[in-house]
Amino acid sequence: MTEILRTEGLSRYFGAVTAAEDINVTISEGEIVGVIGANGAGKTTFINMVTGYLPPSQGTIAFDGSPIKGMGPRKLMRKGLARSFQIPQLFLELPVIDNLAIALSAAEHRQFQMIRPVRTPERIKAADEILEQMNINHYRDEMVTAMPQGARKLLDIAIAMLGNPRMLLLDEPTSGVSMEEKYTLMDTVMEAVRQRGLTVLFVEHDMEIVQRYVSRILAFASGEVIKDGPVDEVLADAKVQELVTGKHHRTPEKEGDA
Amino acid sequence: MKLERTELSLIGVAIAIAILAQFSPNWLVFTLTLAISTALVVMGVVMLMRAGLVSFGQGLFYCLGGYAVGLGGRFLGITDALVLVGLGVVVTTVVAMILGLLMTRYREIFFAMLSLAFSMILYGILVKSHGLGSTDGFGVVDWTLLGFTPGDGQATTTALMLALVLALAIALFLNRYFKSSIGLACEAIRENEVRVEYMGISHRKVLYINYVLAAAVGSVGGSMTALAAGHVDPTMAYWTISGEFVFIAILGGTGHVAAPFIAALIFTLVRTYAVELAPNAWQMILGIVLLLIILFLPKGIWSLFTRKKGAAS
Ligand SMILES: Nc1ncnc2c1ncn2[C@@H]1O[C@H](COP(=O)(O)OP(=O)(O)OP(=O)(O)O)[C@@H](O)[C@H]1O
Ligand SMILES: [Mg+2]
C-alpha cells in the first residue's frame, strides 16, 4: 500500500507542557485508523499539527511523499488534507445550505467571484446530495444554530469532505452525541468515507466504536504514541489498559479545543 | 441576464425619484442628494459590518472623495463631474490598497480604533493645510456633466440625477455582491475564520478586497456630496461624521442593499427637522432613536420589512 502520511519525531511544547512528544506514524492510503487516549493526551494537538493549524516544535511531516511542515490549513486543504473538529467549526448565523455553498465555491477556486451567486444550481445540487447522504437534509434552510450537536458534527464533516480530500482527520466525531445516536452517526460518516475512498484517522473515546470501525489504533498517552498496531493487539496491551482504557474514568468533555 | 425582483424594484424607485424630483422644491432635491451620497458611505460601513468589522473611520474615504473633487477642479482644471468622481475613486482605491494591508490584520476594537486613527490623521493634515482653507475648506468649481453645463437652479437637480445613476449602479452591483461567493465569504469570516481557512479561502485576501471596495464606494458618496454642496472641508474626515455613518448603518441594518438608503434618508430628514425644532436636543433625539433601534430592532429598520414578509407567508 502506498504511504500517504508520515510524521517523524513530531513534538509540540507549550512552555513547560509537553503536548506531543516524538510522534512517528506512517499511514497508508485507504487505511481507517483510530486514535485513542485520555483527555489531554495530545490527540487534538497531533491533528492540529498535521493539518497546519499548529506549528510543530520539532519533527517533520510528509503528506503524499512531500514535506508539508510550515504550510497552513489553506494550502494543505488544497493538497487533499481535510479535518473535522472536536467542537464543530461552522458559520452559525448562516443557513446550512450557505455553509456548504461557500465550501463548494472555495473547492472550485471561485471564492473571489463577485457577481455570480454563491448558490448556483450545481452547488445547490451538490449540497443537497451530501445533506441527504449525511441525513441532515431537513436542516437545509435552517441556520446552523437550529441544529442539534449530532447534526452539527455531521455538517462539519460534510464540509470537510466537500474539498475533495484524500485524507480526513476526524476529531471526536461522536463527542457530545447521545449513546443511541453514536452508531447511526458513525455508520453515516463511514459510508460516505467508503464511497469516496478516503483515508481516515479518527479520534474516539468509545472503545466499542473504535473496534467496530477501525483496523488499526494509535494509543496516545502524555503526548506520546505508546502503542500502534491492530485493534486487538493494542487493546490487549497492558500499558494501554492502564493509561487509556482500563479503569480510567473519563473526565467530562472539555470545551474550547480548536 | 435576467433581472430579479430586487433589481427591478431598485430601478423602479430610482426612476420614480428622478421623475418626482422634477416637481420637487430645491431643498428636497438637495436633501435627497445628500441622503443618497451619505447612503453610499454607509454602504461601505455595511460591507465591513457584514464581515464582522466596524469602521469608525469611513469618513476618511468620504473626505478623500470630496477633496478629490475639490482639488481636481481647482488644480487639475477638471470640470466634468464624472471624471471628478472617477478621480476620487482612483485616489481612494490607491490609499485603501495601502491601508488595507495593515487594516486586514486587525479585528474588533483594534480595527475600529485604527480606522478612526487614519481618518483623524487626514483631518489633522487638512486642518493644517492653509492653502486648502484649513478648517474652512474651500469651494468646488462649477462643474459640467458630459458636456452639459447646468444653468442657474439646474445644478441641484443635475447632481441628484448623477447621484441616482451612480447609486443605482452601485446598489445593483452590491445586491449581487452580497450574495456572491466573496460576499458570503465575508459573512463566513465574521462567523468563523478558522473554518474559512480550512475551506481553502484566504481570509486576508477576502477582507482586503472587501475593504478596498467599501472605500471606493464611500468615496463616491464623498464626491457626490462635494458636487452637490459645492464645498468641502476637513470635518468630512472628523470622527463624529464617521460615527454618524455607523449610526445610520445600525439604523438600517445589514440585511438588504436598500437599507442604508432608507436609513440615510430618515436620518437626514430627522436631523434637518430636529435641528430646527430642537437645536439643543437633536443629538439626544438621535441617541434615543439609536437606543430604541438596538433594543427593539437589533437587525435594523430593514427587519420591519422582512418580519412582515415572514408573517405573511
Ligand atoms: N494552546 C495550548 N496552550 C497550552 N497548552 C495546550 C494548548 N493546546 C493543548 N495544550 C495542552 O496540551 C496537552 C494535549 O492537549 P490536546 O488538546 O492535544 O489533548 P487531547 O488528547 O485532544 O484531549 P481531549 O480528549 O480532552 O480532547 C494538554 O495538556 C493541553 O492542556
Ligand atoms: Mg482533543
Side-chain angles (χ1 to χ4, degrees), chain A residues 43-44 86 171-172 257:
Chain A
K43 307 176 299 292
T44 298
Q86 202 164 336
D171 199 352
E172 304 203 16
D257 295 56

Side-chain angles (χ1 to χ4, degrees), chain B residues 32-305:
Chain B
L32 265 175
T33 313
L34 286 192
I36 291 170
S37 311
T38 304
L40 290 178
V41 196
V42 172
M43 201 68 91
V45 176
V46 166
M47 289 167 78
L48 293 168
M49 273 183 179
R50 288 174 76 100
L53 299 168
V54 180
S55 164
F56 273 101
Q58 216 60 9
L60 170 67
F61 306 121
Y62 175 65
C63 185
L64 282 175
Y67 269 73
V69 165
L71 296 173
R74 203 161 157 186
F75 295 108
L76 303 177
I78 303 169
T79 56
D80 190 87
L82 265 182
V83 178
L84 288 169
V85 173
L87 178 68
V89 169
V90 170
V91 171
T92 304
T93 302
V94 170
V95 172
M97 283 173 80
I98 297 165
L99 298 186
L101 295 174
L102 188 70
M103 293 300 297
T104 51
R105 290 169 191 270
Y106 295 91
R107 302 288 180 275
E108 296 167 2
I109 192 75
F110 305 101
F111 181 91
M113 288 300 115
L114 199 60
S115 63
L116 187 145
F118 281 125
S119 71
M120 288 308 287
I121 289 172
L122 179 65
Y123 175 77
I125 293 172
L126 293 176
V127 165
K128 290 266 178 308
S129 305
H130 298 289
L132 299 179
S134 188
T135 48
D136 293 336
F138 60 94
V140 173
V141 295
D142 290 338
W143 46 272
T144 59
L145 183 61
L146 303 169
F148 165 73
T149 313
D152 277 346
Q154 283 179 320
T156 325
T157 317
T158 313
L160 175 65
M161 294 306 136
L162 180 58
L164 268 177
V165 170
L166 293 175
L168 179 62
I170 290 170
L172 289 175
F173 165 67
L174 287 179
N175 178 50
R176 298 223 168 188
Y177 177 86
F178 288 152
K179 296 170 196 154
S180 72
S181 293
I182 191 167
L184 264 292
C186 285
E187 294 199 62
I189 289 168
R190 178 193 70 213
E191 295 294 316
N192 192 329
E193 285 190 26
V194 172
R195 175 49 93 187
V196 166
E197 283 287 314
Y198 269 104
M199 279 180 176
I201 303 174
S202 161
H203 64 267
R204 284 283 303 278
K205 250 187 223 167
V206 170
L207 289 180
Y208 184 76
I209 295 171
N210 190 55
Y211 178 82
V212 174
L213 280 177
V217 169
S219 96
V220 176
S223 296
M224 282 316 307
T225 304
L227 290 170
H231 184 86
V232 291
D233 68 61
T235 49
M236 290 178 92
Y238 199 62
W239 66 273
T240 54
I241 298 288
S242 295
E244 280 182 12
F245 296 139
V246 175
F247 179 103
I248 299 166
I250 295 172
L251 195 66
T254 59
H256 196 278
V257 75
F261 290 100
I262 294 167
L265 186 61
I266 293 174
F267 178 88
T268 313
L269 287 174
V270 166
R271 187 171 62 177
T272 310
Y273 283 104
V275 168
E276 270 175 40
L277 297 177
N280 299 316
W282 75 272
Q283 277 155 329
M284 194 177 78
I285 296 173
L286 286 184
I288 292 168
V289 169
L290 185 63
L291 194 69
L292 293 175
I293 292 281
I294 289 173
L295 283 178
F296 298 108
L297 294 172
K299 295 205 162 164
I301 290 176
W302 191 259
S303 56
L304 284 177
F305 295 80

Side-chain angles (χ1 to χ4, degrees), chain A residues 12-248:
Chain A
R12 172 73 207 202
Y13 312 107
F14 292 103
V17 177
T18 301
E21 171 93 336
D22 193 27
I23 298 176
N24 301 289
V25 169
T26 305
I27 291 169
S28 303
E29 191 125 38
E31 264 193 298
I32 310 282
V33 180
V35 173
I36 61 172
N39 290 124
K43 307 176 299 292
T44 298
T45 302
F46 176 68
I47 291 184
N48 282 347
M49 286 193 289
V50 169
T51 59
Y53 185 69
L54 197 64
S57 307
Q58 268 167 36
T60 61
I61 315 170
F63 181 70
D64 202 19
S66 50
I68 57 167
K69 204 170 102 173
M71 293 182 191
R74 195 173 358 121
K75 255 200 182 145
L76 293 177
M77 172 270 172
R78 299 289 180 199
K79 284 191 170 288
L81 203 50
R83 77 174 286 188
S84 74
F85 298 82
Q86 202 164 336
I87 295 157
Q89 299 290 309
L90 301 163
F91 310 133
L92 293 178
E93 298 281 344
L94 291 181
V96 170
I97 184 92
D98 284 346
N99 274 256
L100 297 167
I102 295 165
L104 284 162
S105 89
E108 299 161 16
H109 294 270
R110 301 235 165 90
Q111 67 269 31
F112 298 121
Q113 281 194 343
M114 293 186 185
I115 307 287
R116 245 182 128 214
V118 74
R119 291 189 197 178
T120 59
E122 305 83 55
R123 285 185 203 134
I124 289 179
K125 189 162 164 276
D128 280 339
E129 273 169 21
I130 200 154
L131 284 173
E132 198 148 321
Q133 181 169 43
M134 291 301 206
N135 261 319
I136 45 174
N137 37 350
H138 40 293
Y139 295 110
R140 182 185 191 271
D141 299 309
E142 306 264 6
M143 298 285 162
V144 175
T145 42
M147 292 177 121
Q149 182 69 3
R152 290 188 196 191
K153 287 271 181 187
L154 286 165
L155 178 60
D156 196 48
I157 296 167
I159 288 173
M161 289 197 293
L162 289 181
N164 298 315
R166 292 174 56 201
M167 181 171 186
L168 192 55
L169 297 98
L170 307 174
D171 199 352
E172 304 203 16
T174 68
S175 71
V177 177
S178 73
M179 237 6 250
E180 312 84 75
E181 277 180 278
K182 280 189 180 185
Y183 288 98
T184 347
L185 184 146
M186 281 309 291
D187 282 343
T188 309
V189 172
M190 294 319 271
E191 178 53 33
V193 159
R194 227 166 280 139
Q195 223 182 65
R196 290 172 172 75
L198 304 180
T199 308
V200 177
L201 181 140
F202 80 89
V203 177
E204 182 55 59
H205 283 284
D206 187 325
M207 293 310 140
E208 276 175 49
I209 292 201
V210 175
Q211 278 173 300
R212 180 152 159 182
Y213 297 101
V214 311
S215 49
R216 173 183 166 195
I217 293 181
L218 298 176
F220 277 68
S222 313
E224 288 178 62
V225 176
I226 54 166
K227 189 80 187 165
D228 174 1
V231 177
D232 300 339
E233 200 184 305
V234 173
L235 293 183
D237 186 87
K239 220 167 148 196
V240 171
Q241 288 186 352
E242 184 201 331
L243 294 170
V244 187
T245 55
K247 310 247 177 317
H248 171 74

